[in-house]
Amino acid sequence: MDRSIIEPPVKGSATRFKAGFGQRSLLTVDTEEEFDWEGPFSPSGHGLDHVPRLAKFQQFCEGIGVCPVYLVDWPVATSEVAMDILRAPLQAGKAEIGIQLHPWVNPPFEEEVNTFNSFAGNLPPDLEERKFFKLRDEIQKNFGCAPQIYRAGRYGLGPSSAKILKKAGVAIDSSVRANFDYSAGGGPNYRDHPLEPYWVDSEHQLLELPLTTVFWGMLRKQGRALYPALSRLGKVNGIASRLGMLERIALTPEGVSADEALRGIDIAIDDQLPVLVLSFHSPSLVPGHTPYVRTEDDLDELYEWWRRIYAYLDQRGVKSTTVAEIMQSAEV
C-alpha cells in the first residue's frame, strides 16, 4: 500500500530525469481571488480586481522566455476575464494551467468554514474529492485543456489527496512546502520532506514537485534541526540570519529579497536540485491585495525581482522548464 502523501517518502523514491535534463526552474503562480489575509475565511466577499493584470504578467514572462504555470482556484476558473486572457497563451504553449483548491470558495459548500477546514486535506475524503473534481472539470471546460499539476491551497494536503489526484489522472503535485510546518494551524508538517522531486506512489504515477526552500549560512547543514528551535525563541532567527549563521530562503518574491533569493539559488544549484520551483500569489500583481505588495514601488520591485532572478538563472545555466517537459523527462 502506498504511503500517505503527507508523510515523507521512503528511501529510493527520488525521481530520476533523462540525460540532458540538467537543472531547471519552474515558475508557478497561485492564481486566486483577493481576500483579507488577516481576516477569517469566507465563501463570499472576495474580489478579482487584479485578474486583468495577468495579461501584463504573461507578456512579461514571454519577454524573458518563461512559461508560467497558473494554478487557478474556483473564482479564477469561473472568471470570463481570466479565460479571455489565458486561453490564447495556453493554446500557444506559452503558459500552462493547473489546479489550486481553496475549499472555502469552492462548491459544494457543505463544511463549516474555519481555519481547520481551509486545508482541503482535512475535509471528509468524499467532500475533498467532489470539490476537487468540480474544480478540475470547470478548468478543463473553460480553458480548453486538461490540467496536469495540482497545489492544495495553503499547501493543505491530506491522507486522501494522492488517491484523488491519481483517480483524476493528474501527474504532478506541488503542494509540499519543504522545511515548513503548518501543524500549529491544523495543517501538514513538511519539515522532513525532501526538496528533490520524488514519486509519491510505488507505481510512479504521481510525482511530487516540492516548492524550493533552502537553508543558508554556516549552520545550514543543521538547519532542519535548528530552525524550528530558534523559531520558538522569537527574534533569535533574525539574529542568526543577520550574522550569516542560518537563514531559511524560499524562492518567492513575497517576503524574500532578490539578494536572499540569489543566495538560495546558489545553494539549490550546489545541492544539485534538478528542479527549482518558484512561486508567488497572483493578487500581488496589484498593490494592496497582499502583505507583500502595498505600493506601486513594491510592484516595480516585484518585477525587478523576477528580472534579476531569471538573469541569474540564465547565467548559472538553469533553464526554464514546463510541466509537460517534466512529465516527459521523468524516468518511470
Side-chain angles (χ1 to χ4, degrees), residues 26-78:
L26 183 72
L27 172 53
T28 63
V29 185
D30 289 359
T31 316
E32 60 191 37
E33 75 286 358
E34 303 138 14
F35 59 93
D36 183 358
W37 285 44
E38 303 299 326
F41 294 95
S42 173
S44 61
H46 55 264
L48 293 172
D49 293 343
H50 77 282
V51 168
R53 294 287 185 97
L54 292 174
K56 176 183 177 181
F57 182 74
Q58 176 62 35
Q59 185 179 37
F60 171 81
C61 288
E62 292 177 20
I64 61 173
V66 173
C67 179
V69 185
Y70 296 101
L71 299 156
V72 304
D73 72 352
W74 182 266
V76 177
T78 55

Side-chain angles (χ1 to χ4, degrees), residues 117-182:
N117 287 334
S118 68
F119 299 100
N122 288 341
L123 298 174
D126 175 66
L127 181 56
E128 180 187 3
E129 180 174 320
R130 284 186 287 127
K131 283 178 179 282
F132 175 87
F133 272 94
K134 194 165 184 65
L135 175 57
R136 192 282 305 265
D137 294 347
E138 195 74 13
I139 292 171
Q140 190 163 330
K141 178 186 72 173
N142 293 339
F143 293 90
C145 48
Q148 286 295 309
I149 185 169
Y150 173 66
R151 176 168 296 152
R154 309 197 70 217
Y155 318 105
L157 292 172
S160 300
S161 301
K163 181 179 178 181
I164 294 168
L165 293 176
K166 290 175 67 175
K167 183 177 179 179
V170 172
I172 298 175
D173 177 71
S174 187
S175 305
V176 169
R177 200 176 190 201
N179 294 325
F180 279 81
D181 181 3
Y182 298 97

Side-chain angles (χ1 to χ4, degrees), residues 231-243:
S231 296
R232 291 192 289 270
L233 298 177
K235 298 180 179 180
V236 176
N237 261 340
I239 296 171
S241 174
R242 289 192 295 273
L243 293 176

Side-chain angles (χ1 to χ4, degrees), residues 212-224:
T212 303
T213 300
V214 301
F215 288 110
W216 175 89
M218 292 183 290
L219 300 176
R220 78 177 193 89
K221 295 294 185 181
Q222 294 79 39
R224 289 200 162 182

